[in-house]
Amino acid sequence: ERPADLQRHHPALDPVGAVYSPDGSRLAIALDTETGTGGQVELWDTQTGERLLVLPERFSLFRNGMAFSPDGARLATALSAG
């Protein structure tokens, strides 16, 4: 799998955000349902195209942004509840 194949592998999910790690080695992609009621965040290796991790939905709350820490060790997602 490669990030370019997301639509083929996730036809019910739309990419709504993406962010590279500071060193460019990883790409986090937020995917959401068409209704905006749920989704997931996937972490990809940009060198190999391998999907490294899929965050469980309860940790994938994305509506307002994502960011890696300066050292690239952590990924934060943000949700606004109103």
Side-chain angles (χ1 to χ4, degrees), residues 63-79:
R63 296 291 183 282
N64 297 97
M66 287 188 301
F68 278 96
S69 61
D71 64 1
R74 292 181 175 83
L75 175 68
T77 62
L79 171 70

Side-chain angles (χ1 to χ4, degrees), residues 32 36 57-58 60-66 76-82:
D32 205 352
E57 187 173 338
R58 69 180 186 270
S60 299
L61 300 173
F62 172 84
R63 296 291 183 282
N64 297 97
M66 287 188 301
T77 62
L79 171 70
S80 174

